[in-house]
Amino acid sequence: MEKREDGRDWAYRVDPYGFERPEDFDYASYEAFFSRYLVVLTRRAIKWSKLLKGNNSVQKSLKVKRYIRKGIPNEHRALIWMIVSGAQANMEQNPGYYHRLLEGEKNDKLVEAIKTDMNRTFPDNVKFRKTADPCLQHTLYNVLVAYGHHNKAVGYCQGMNFIAGYLILITKNEEESFWLLDALIGRILPDYYSPAMLGLKTDQEVLGELVKMKVPAVAELMERHGVMWTLVVSRWFICLFIDILPVETVLRIWDSLFYEGSKIIFRVALTLIKQHQAFILEATNFPDICDKFKQITKGTFVTECHSFMQKIFTDPGSLSMATINKLRETCREKVLSQG
């Protein structure tokens, strides 16, 4: 096996999902974290096995919600995401639909846009390389083309390729990835990917309002320097933290996102901001603020996914869907009037 100068073999430089670890990856602190996390994973795996009892279904309940917040073991992740998001029911109610989309007439412009993004999707993941066998680019292309023809109002927009890519890595199943993408774009993330991106712009404003309520000093800093929220958080929303937070942390966030909906994104964003409030407030100008927002998504706080997930449910305090929907109404009006 190929060795590097530091003696680490190739397999060790690639994480379990196929992502190459960066040159400056801190192996020592990651190993310290992972040896602790492994204990948690083992304990959760036993609990999940008892919950599922060889039976491939769960009913939504407080217990299941609690279990999901503590993380779904990877071997059950695809199944649980499919059930709790409603994707499983949709797939069963529409047998053969996905394959009919792939066999039907194609919109050339849509196909071209998707093809253009193929090589830009996870260049750091060995499974998406043209040389990989099987090469997941082909699967990704199919899922995105089918989805673009299924949801013509959205078609295809950048960001969807990363989300579909993650779904494929977890489900290892093309059709399931399609239905999970539909659950996210069609139901969980209201109007994020339509050409006008009204839902996305609205939710960035909603975050701004929540920060005013919960971390007012940061909101005041942003306002004083004229930094719009979209400049620092748009990728958090569009890519659902892919390429922003560590893979394992993103998957833990998605566990709850599929069950509890879009308010999870706000919980994560507020936790990142609240936890690093003092650090952000050191910023003295516009580029400085933007740089601080890049920094707060790195380091042990976000790598330690188990304690991070506990924090997102305590740090921001209460955050109901009713509050978010109320804010969405006023923020949507604001965005439309600026339009």
Side-chain angles (χ1 to χ4, degrees), residues 63-278:
K63 183 180 182 177
V64 169
K65 181 180 177 179
R66 196 175 71 243
Y67 271 40
I68 287 174
R69 284 183 171 191
K70 290 180 179 180
I72 305 168
N74 221 10
E75 64 266 32
H76 302 307
R77 204 162 238 147
L79 170 75
I80 303 300
W81 284 3
M82 286 293 288
I83 294 168
V84 300
S85 66
Q88 186 69 35
N90 272 3
M91 185 170 82
E92 285 167 9
Q93 283 154 19
N94 296 280
Y97 176 69
Y98 173 71
H99 296 288
R100 285 198 298 280
L101 285 170
L102 286 179
E103 286 154 14
E105 282 280 301
K106 301 288 184 300
N107 173 331
D108 294 343
K109 219 168 136 192
L110 176 85
V111 166
E112 210 39 57
I114 292 168
K115 274 186 179 160
T116 306
D117 270 0
M118 279 300 107
N119 288 327
R120 296 183 198 156
T121 309
F122 301 135
D124 60 339
N125 190 302
V126 297
K127 297 180 183 185
F128 283 90
R129 302 245 164 98
K130 281 208 166 82
T131 49
D133 184 26
C135 169
L136 292 184
Q137 274 194 22
H138 179 66
T139 313
L140 178 64
Y141 170 81
N142 281 353
V143 170
L144 292 171
V145 166
Y147 192 75
H149 289 88
H150 160 70
N151 185 344
K152 291 188 174 70
V154 167
Y156 171 72
C157 118
Q158 279 182 338
M160 286 165 61
N161 49 329
F162 295 110
I163 291 174
Y166 255 52
L167 293 172
I168 290 163
L169 286 171
I170 294 303
T171 62
K172 302 177 180 64
N173 181 302
E174 211 172 289
E175 190 174 2
E176 288 181 4
S177 298
F178 166 82
W179 288 109
L180 283 168
L181 188 64
D182 183 49
L184 281 170
I185 294 174
R187 295 192 296 284
I188 296 170
L189 309 173
D191 209 9
Y192 273 28
Y193 300 93
S194 59
M197 292 188 156
L198 179 60
L200 176 74
K201 291 172 184 168
T202 299
D203 276 3
Q204 289 171 171
E205 291 291 330
V206 170
L207 178 63
E209 292 302 315
L210 289 169
V211 174
K212 264 184 209 162
M213 289 153 57
K214 293 174 184 287
V215 206
V218 170
E220 203 266 321
L221 175 82
M222 300 282 284
E223 220 157 280
R224 198 165 66 241
H225 292 282
V227 182
M228 290 168 67
W229 281 102
T230 182
L231 284 175
V232 290
V233 301
S234 64
R235 281 187 62 238
W236 296 6
F237 286 88
I238 292 174
C239 297
L240 300 177
F241 301 102
I242 293 173
D243 275 354
I244 290 154
L245 297 177
V247 183
E248 205 56 58
T249 309
V250 174
L251 295 173
R252 287 288 303 268
I253 291 165
W254 285 24
D255 288 347
S256 288
L257 180 67
F258 278 117
Y259 191 99
E260 299 184 48
S262 55
K263 69 175 177 185
I264 295 299
I265 304 170
F266 296 108
R267 284 199 166 279
V268 174
L270 285 167
T271 303
L272 287 169
I273 294 163
K274 201 168 178 184
Q275 193 69 27
H276 297 97
Q277 177 173 345

